Each structure stands twice: as C-alpha cells, then as structure tokens.
Amino acid sequence: MSKFTRFLRYGWRHKYFWAIAIFVAVVGFLDPNSFWNRRLHKERISELKADISRYQHMYAEDTRRLRELQNNPDAIKKIAREKYFMKTAEEDVFVIRENQTNDETTR
C-alpha cells in the first residue's frame, strides 16, 4: 500500500477530529469575526476608552480655566505672566532655565 492511501485511511478514520480542527481554525483565525479579531478589537476599544477619559479630563480642566478667565480679571494677568512672560512697566522678568545635558550641548 502506498503512503498516500495509508494517509487517506488515517484521515478517514479520524474525520471528526479533522472537522473539529478545521472548524477551530476557521472560527479562531480565518473568519472576519474570529476570536483573534475580537481580541484585537477589544484591545483597541480599551485604548479608545482611555483616550476618551483623558480628553474628558482635559475638557473639564479647560472649561474650568475658561470660566475663571471670563469671571476673574486677575486670572488673565496670572496667565499672561506665567505663559507669555508679560510684565508691568515697573518690573523686570527673569526666566530661569535648567542646565542642558551633555548630549544637548555637543550638538
């Protein structure tokens, strides 16, 4: 008997195993709705939920700042001084920066 006929007999004898193996391969990896793709989609959804919560926090902080700017004129002065280094006529502004590392100074 040739090797091919022995292989066919072995395969025929275990036909349920092969059917289950093919089913698992299709459902697990090949199908567009496979378990593999579902796992990738769940990871992406969790990343997007983290982004949503981060953006909601940023929105709340910006809304609070905007309300403060609209209601408090001293807040405008504070932001102008801190962010844009603005000053009044009778004062000086000194900006102190940290030392650069050796890698940055050699460039």
Side-chain angles (χ1 to χ4, degrees):
M1 228 190 278
S2 71
K3 290 182 181 180
F4 182 69
T5 57
R6 273 190 264 151
F7 178 73
L8 286 179
R9 280 188 185 176
Y10 177 78
W12 183 254
R13 200 173 328 146
H14 297 58
K15 59 187 168 194
Y16 295 111
F17 169 75
W18 291 112
I20 291 171
I22 291 171
F23 174 76
V24 167
V26 168
V27 171
F29 300 102
L30 302 176
D31 190 44
N33 297 323
S34 67
F35 291 120
W36 181 260
N37 287 335
R38 290 178 71 120
R39 186 185 65 80
L40 294 176
H41 290 310
K42 282 185 181 182
E43 287 179 5
R44 180 71 177 138
I45 286 171
S46 66
E47 291 172 3
L48 291 174
K49 283 183 180 179
D51 286 346
I52 287 171
S53 66
R54 183 171 47 100
Y55 287 131
Q56 285 176 340
H57 177 70
M58 288 172 52
Y59 176 76
E61 181 65 25
D62 290 342
T63 303
R64 184 192 61 79
R65 279 185 164 171
L66 184 61
R67 282 193 199 126
E68 185 180 350
L69 284 174
Q70 290 173 344
N71 298 329
N72 188 0
D74 291 334
I76 295 173
K77 290 180 186 177
K78 179 182 175 187
I79 290 176
R81 288 173 181 262
E82 291 177 357
K83 273 193 157 182
Y84 303 109
F85 305 116
M86 293 184 173
K87 63 182 183 94
T88 60
E90 55 276 340
E91 69 182 6
D92 292 329
V93 174
F94 296 98
V95 178
I96 300 172
R97 296 189 182 175
E98 295 182 18
N99 291 337
Q100 296 176 348
T101 61
N102 291 336
D103 294 337
E104 293 176 359
T105 56
T106 57
R107 290 183 190 169

